[in-house]
Short mmCIF file of all heavy atoms in Angstrom, two decimals:
data_model
loop_
_atom_site.label_atom_id
_atom_site.label_comp_id
_atom_site.label_asym_id
_atom_site.label_seq_id
_atom_site.Cartn_x
_atom_site.Cartn_y
_atom_site.Cartn_z
N PRO B 178 116.97 115.69 100.57
CA PRO B 178 116.43 114.33 100.64
C PRO B 178 117.40 113.27 100.11
O PRO B 178 117.23 112.09 100.40
CB PRO B 178 115.17 114.40 99.76
CG PRO B 178 115.33 115.60 98.90
CD PRO B 178 116.18 116.57 99.67
N LEU B 179 118.42 113.67 99.35
CA LEU B 179 119.38 112.70 98.81
C LEU B 179 120.59 112.50 99.73
O LEU B 179 121.46 111.67 99.45
CB LEU B 179 119.85 113.14 97.42
CG LEU B 179 118.77 113.22 96.33
CD1 LEU B 179 119.36 113.72 95.02
CD2 LEU B 179 118.10 111.86 96.12
N ALA B 180 120.64 113.25 100.83
CA ALA B 180 121.82 113.20 101.71
C ALA B 180 121.86 111.90 102.51
O ALA B 180 120.82 111.32 102.84
CB ALA B 180 121.82 114.39 102.65
N GLN B 181 123.08 111.47 102.82
CA GLN B 181 123.26 110.24 103.59
C GLN B 181 122.75 110.36 105.02
O GLN B 181 122.14 109.43 105.54
CB GLN B 181 124.75 109.87 103.60
CG GLN B 181 125.08 108.55 104.30
CD GLN B 181 126.48 108.05 103.96
OE1 GLN B 181 127.24 108.74 103.27
NE2 GLN B 181 126.82 106.86 104.41
N PHE B 182 123.01 111.51 105.64
CA PHE B 182 122.59 111.71 107.04
C PHE B 182 121.53 112.80 107.13
O PHE B 182 121.79 113.95 106.75
CB PHE B 182 123.78 112.10 107.91
CG PHE B 182 124.85 111.05 107.95
CD1 PHE B 182 126.16 111.35 107.61
CD2 PHE B 182 124.56 109.74 108.34
CE1 PHE B 182 127.15 110.39 107.64
CE2 PHE B 182 125.55 108.77 108.38
CZ PHE B 182 126.85 109.09 108.02
N GLN B 183 120.36 112.44 107.60
CA GLN B 183 119.29 113.42 107.81
C GLN B 183 119.12 113.54 109.32
O GLN B 183 118.06 113.25 109.87
CB GLN B 183 117.98 112.91 107.18
CG GLN B 183 118.11 112.32 105.80
CD GLN B 183 117.79 113.31 104.71
OE1 GLN B 183 117.24 114.39 104.96
NE2 GLN B 183 118.14 112.96 103.48
N LYS B 184 120.17 113.97 109.96
CA LYS B 184 120.17 113.94 111.42
C LYS B 184 120.90 115.16 111.95
O LYS B 184 122.08 115.38 111.64
CB LYS B 184 120.89 112.67 111.89
CG LYS B 184 120.89 112.46 113.38
CD LYS B 184 121.68 111.22 113.73
CE LYS B 184 121.76 111.08 115.25
NZ LYS B 184 122.70 110.04 115.66
N LYS B 185 120.20 115.93 112.77
CA LYS B 185 120.81 117.10 113.38
C LYS B 185 121.84 116.65 114.42
O LYS B 185 121.58 115.70 115.17
CB LYS B 185 119.72 117.93 114.06
CG LYS B 185 120.20 119.23 114.63
CD LYS B 185 119.05 119.99 115.30
CE LYS B 185 119.61 121.18 116.06
NZ LYS B 185 118.55 121.94 116.75
N ILE B 186 122.98 117.30 114.47
CA ILE B 186 123.94 117.01 115.53
C ILE B 186 124.36 118.32 116.20
O ILE B 186 124.20 119.41 115.62
CB ILE B 186 125.20 116.26 115.03
CG1 ILE B 186 125.95 117.10 113.97
CG2 ILE B 186 124.84 114.89 114.48
CD1 ILE B 186 127.32 116.54 113.61
N THR B 187 124.88 118.19 117.42
CA THR B 187 125.33 119.35 118.18
C THR B 187 126.84 119.27 118.40
O THR B 187 127.45 118.21 118.17
CB THR B 187 124.65 119.41 119.56
OG1 THR B 187 125.10 118.25 120.30
CG2 THR B 187 123.13 119.38 119.43
N VAL B 188 127.40 120.36 118.88
CA VAL B 188 128.83 120.36 119.23
C VAL B 188 129.11 119.26 120.26
O VAL B 188 130.11 118.52 120.14
CB VAL B 188 129.26 121.74 119.78
CG1 VAL B 188 130.65 121.66 120.41
CG2 VAL B 188 129.23 122.78 118.66
N SER B 189 128.20 119.09 121.21
CA SER B 189 128.39 118.04 122.22
C SER B 189 128.42 116.66 121.60
O SER B 189 129.20 115.79 122.01
CB SER B 189 127.27 118.08 123.25
OG SER B 189 127.18 119.36 123.81
N ASP B 190 127.55 116.45 120.60
CA ASP B 190 127.55 115.14 119.92
C ASP B 190 128.92 114.87 119.29
O ASP B 190 129.44 113.76 119.37
CB ASP B 190 126.48 115.11 118.81
CG ASP B 190 125.07 115.14 119.35
OD1 ASP B 190 124.86 114.67 120.49
OD2 ASP B 190 124.17 115.63 118.63
N VAL B 191 129.45 115.89 118.63
CA VAL B 191 130.76 115.71 117.98
C VAL B 191 131.82 115.39 119.02
O VAL B 191 132.60 114.43 118.88
CB VAL B 191 131.17 116.96 117.17
CG1 VAL B 191 132.52 116.75 116.51
CG2 VAL B 191 130.10 117.31 116.13
N LEU B 192 131.83 116.18 120.11
CA LEU B 192 132.87 116.00 121.13
C LEU B 192 132.72 114.67 121.86
O LEU B 192 133.71 114.13 122.37
CB LEU B 192 132.82 117.16 122.14
CG LEU B 192 133.06 118.55 121.54
CD1 LEU B 192 133.08 119.62 122.64
CD2 LEU B 192 134.37 118.59 120.76
N ALA B 193 131.51 114.14 121.87
CA ALA B 193 131.28 112.86 122.57
C ALA B 193 131.48 111.66 121.65
O ALA B 193 131.45 110.52 122.11
CB ALA B 193 129.87 112.85 123.15
#
Side-chain angles (χ1 to χ4, degrees):
Chain B
L179 297 178
Q181 183 164 5
F182 298 125
Q183 316 263 347
K184 184 183 176 190
K185 185 181 171 181
I186 60 170
T187 64
V188 168
S189 305
D190 292 333
V191 180
L192 299 183

